[in-house]
Amino acid sequence: MAHVALIPGLSRGSVGAVCTQAASWGLKASTLRHLTLASIIKSRRKTDHLERTASVLRREVMAAAKVCEITHESPSVKSLRLLVADKDFSFKAGQWVDFFIPGVSVVGGFSICSSPQRLERDRIIELAVKYADHPPAVWVHNKCTLDSEVALRVGGEFFFDPQPTDAPRNLILIAGGVGINPLLSILRHSADLHRDHADKGSSYEIGTVKLFYSAKNTSELLFKKDILDLVHEFPEKISCSFHVTKQTAQISAELKPYVTDGRITEKEIRDHISAETLFYVCGPPPMTDFFSKHLESCHVPKEHICFEKWW
């Protein structure tokens, strides 16, 4: 994790922290406590979310969430929209949740792909989960139904949360595969900031945002319609470049102007380096390592490079 900040209401440490908000949802506090402690005992593999993120900042609030919509985003990815009634539950664009499933001992870790304003307005958050042979992902793809209940807790030091008095910044977002999730949250948050500034003139004035997004083929480019809708809504502020590495089918006329065959290149990223630009990178570890090291070699300050690795 490259972006480290102290956030009010966050704590470090194990997932065994007491669930102070348990009374606000269907499970008893004792049940939640048993669920979290059992998850600690059984989450021992190096690839487990809890172990990888044991030292990462987390919010103290654990909240109930109910699944209110399930969508197939691609052949391998399902998105969930969850209703979170607890108004003490909040997050910053780019953060993830510990995902506690009753009856499943392993805790999931999924990045939020919706914007903080969506939660404030509708009490909804959105997650996109790729199928994997991992109990939380298996549950999402094979057992989750409308009205399924889970528990969530926010964590993460990878986020974009500008304050009204901050200097304007340009953003370069570099995504690989399901690494799009936290970057989509940041992109959507940026669009909300643009709308607020246009409507009220009082919120943070963000600069330009460009998304570079690589996937195997166009069917695995998640949320591409939503992304293009934002590009069309803010043509002078938001742009995107889709990259595909194993495309075999014909690319649709709507997507074709935005799609490049091949990986994201160093030159494309290097062309956007400036003193006013922040870089956010999320994808498989080799990709995040490659681009973060490349940016450092181009003398981009470390505090301007934020990255998140997902396994």
Side-chain angles (χ1 to χ4, degrees):
M1 307 287 177
H3 190 132
V4 180
L6 295 176
I7 312 165
L10 287 183
S11 61
R12 292 186 184 272
S14 75
V15 175
V18 176
C19 311
T20 57
Q21 301 300 314
S24 67
W25 74 309
L27 296 182
K28 295 179 180 178
S30 59
T31 305
L32 275 177
R33 208 171 290 120
H34 171 76
L35 175 61
T36 55
L37 291 172
S39 299
I40 294 168
I41 292 168
K42 296 189 178 182
S43 290
R44 296 300 184 193
R45 296 177 302 145
K46 285 291 184 185
T47 54
D48 277 347
H49 166 69
L50 292 188
E51 199 163 330
R52 289 198 309 268
T53 63
S55 64
V56 177
L57 291 168
R58 284 173 163 82
R59 289 192 176 275
E60 296 172 354
V61 174
M62 177 156 331
K66 182 178 288 189
V67 176
C68 57
E69 188 175 340
I70 303 172
T71 306
H72 289 271
E73 292 296 337
S74 81
S76 63
V77 176
K78 274 188 176 181
S79 71
L80 305 180
R81 287 190 175 91
L82 299 112
L83 178 65
V84 187
D86 187 344
K87 292 188 178 180
D88 289 329
F89 179 91
S90 64
F91 71 96
K92 300 179 187 300
Q95 290 187 300
W96 39 257
V97 290
D98 295 328
F99 193 84
F100 296 90
I101 307 162
V104 177
S105 62
V106 179
V107 176
F110 304 130
S111 287
I112 303 168
C113 53
S114 48
S115 72
Q117 279 200 18
R118 177 78 190 275
L119 177 64
E120 292 172 11
R121 184 178 66 247
D122 304 325
R123 302 310 306 168
I124 295 289
I125 70 162
E126 187 171 2
L127 309 175
V129 180
K130 186 178 178 70
Y131 183 81
D133 185 18
H134 189 242
V138 171
W139 181 86
V140 168
H141 280 261
N142 297 337
K143 296 183 179 180
C144 178
T145 62
L146 292 178
D147 295 329
S148 288
E149 291 188 344
V150 296
L152 306 175
R153 185 169 61 180
V154 171
E157 298 160 351
F158 176 91
F159 56 80
F160 179 61
D161 183 41
Q163 301 306 300
T165 57
D166 288 350
R169 294 287 190 183
N170 302 319
L171 303 183
I172 296 296
L173 312 178
I174 307 170
V178 289
I180 186 62
N181 288 344
L183 299 183
L184 181 61
S185 178
I186 291 172
L187 184 68
R188 286 169 162 168
H189 184 47
S190 301
D192 285 337
L193 291 172
H194 282 310
R195 294 185 191 105
D196 286 348
H197 188 73
D199 293 343
K200 304 170 189 175
S202 57
S203 69
Y204 174 75
E205 182 179 4
I206 190 171
T208 61
V209 184
K210 177 145 191 178
L211 169 68
F212 292 90
Y213 179 16
S214 177
K216 183 171 64 175
N217 53 53
T218 53
S219 69
E220 292 291 343
L221 288 168
L222 308 180
F223 303 104
K224 49 188 173 284
K225 182 182 182 304
D226 293 350
I227 292 167
L228 290 180
D229 284 347
L230 295 178
V231 170
H232 296 149
E233 184 179 355
F234 302 101
E236 296 180 1
K237 291 289 189 177
I238 296 177
S239 58
C240 73
S241 176
F242 296 137
H243 287 249
V244 291
T245 57
K246 295 182 180 179
Q247 182 75 21
T248 55
Q250 186 173 356
I251 298 172
S252 69
E254 181 187 17
L255 274 181
K256 203 163 187 178
Y258 304 95
V259 175
T260 298
D261 185 27
R263 298 183 185 280
I264 303 165
T265 67
E266 302 100 302
K267 183 181 184 304
E268 288 176 285
I269 303 306
R270 193 164 55 242
D271 288 344
H272 292 276
I273 292 175
S274 75
E276 297 77 31
T277 301
L278 303 179
F279 294 85
Y280 286 81
V281 189
C282 188
M287 176 186 178
T288 56
D289 288 343
F290 176 81
F291 281 112
S292 59
K293 289 175 182 176
H294 172 66
L295 289 166
E296 285 186 33
S297 73
C298 294
H299 308 292
V300 175
K302 285 188 177 182
E303 60 269 23
H304 289 188
I305 306 168
C306 310
F307 63 88
E308 182 108 286
K309 298 178 184 180
W310 281 107
W311 284 254

